[in-house]
Amino acid sequence: MKKTILTGLRVNSELTLGNYLGALLPMVRLANKYSKEYAVNIFVPDLHSIISSIDGNLQENTLRSIKYYLAAGLELNENIHIYRQSHVPAHAELAWVLNCVATMGEMSRMIQYKEKSEGKESTNVGIFDYPVLMAADILLYSASFVPVGEDQFQHLELTRNLAERFNNRFGETFVVPEETRKQAEFMGTDNGIRIRDLVNPDKKMSKSTPGENSKIMLSDTPEQAAKKIMGATTDSLENINFDLSTQPGVSNLLQIEALINDRPLGEVIREWQGKTRYGDLKKQVAASVQNLLADFQAKYAAISDADIEKLLPEGEAYANEIANAKLAEVYQKVGLR
Ligand code: TYM
């Protein structure tokens, strides 16, 4: 059996440059590089979307998110499978079984849950439970590699723990995904990727941050995006250096520059280290972001909904076949069959 690379992007709204550089682009690069040796599963976690409000129409957002992969350069072939989570019922069914393996303690420690529920009077159970559904998304397909941003690493660790616990309790059933250090290595980075908020670089860039200048959306005009980079918060040390704790703004710019141009971060750091003019670095990064968006948006505009709709029947037939076989094995192991 071929190993599998798998990922998904929630489609509650437009995506940010953080989603693009942290997950979408790494997945596209890995798929283009490895799709001869690996199965590549790209799915839309639409069941995940309904844990929170949705801008626009969910089904239109779904098609849009698949277009994003193609606009980012995904080269389709018979080893790349594209499907919608809600069209493969086994995801929700396995999530139920895994709910009975996961503990309240470990789920309560999930940072994303804490962040998403903080300050709210009431939180839906889906927000609490969605990492279990995510584990099901991954384990059904025996995925070894799951390219995601650093904020999802804790959910990957949970997935590994649930798989190991299930295997210990019921016998070898699931492939345990690689540990996060190996995931990062596979994506060609030292650590997980976290693109920072441009105004407040101690935080990650997030679509839910209200300030327009904090984030670059994939729908921003290239000029708007360049302006946001030029206005990004840096520091007053007047010395370019990669240090996320003392110089997160400058470090973020170096990281963005490396990812867009597919260059090793170390090489970009060496090029800029010790220079004093932050304006020069900003100009360079602004130009990179501007070119990236211009190219991405031109490609995006050339793809029709019909182009996407014709990919789904093959992807969903494939996904149901693999997922149903794994679910049958699980049902048998736990005694339901
Ligand atoms: P989601 O939709 O919140 O985010 C999609 C992807 O974008 C990454 N990301 C970032 N990366 C770097 N810097 C940032 N500032 C940044 N912001 C977001 C996220 O890490 C993610 O990879 N639960 C997942 C979706 C999901 C999934 C799965 C992923 C559901 N099932 C199975 C992989 C495998 C989520 O909510 O990501």
Side-chain angles (χ1 to χ4, degrees), residues 6-12 15-24 43-45 48 51 85 91 112 116 130-131 133-138 146-153 155-156 159 192-197 203-207 259:
L6 173 150
T7 202
L9 305 159
R10 250 173 344 123
V11 291
N12 293 54
L15 297 189
T16 67
L17 187 69
N19 297 126
Y20 186 90
L21 295 179
L24 181 70
F43 79 104
V44 182
H48 282 271
I51 61 171
Q85 186 185 38
H91 289 242
Q112 296 266 307
K116 285 188 163 70
Y130 96 117
L133 180 58
M134 178 165 166
D137 300 335
I138 296 168
V146 185
V148 286
E150 189 236 31
D151 61 321
Q152 296 292 321
F153 274 11
H155 296 162
L156 267 184
T159 303
I193 299 166
R194 168 183 289 247
I195 302 300
R196 310 287 177 126
D197 183 302
K203 298 197 314 195
K204 74 165 181 181
M205 183 183 286
S206 160
K207 38 199 164 196
L259 288 168

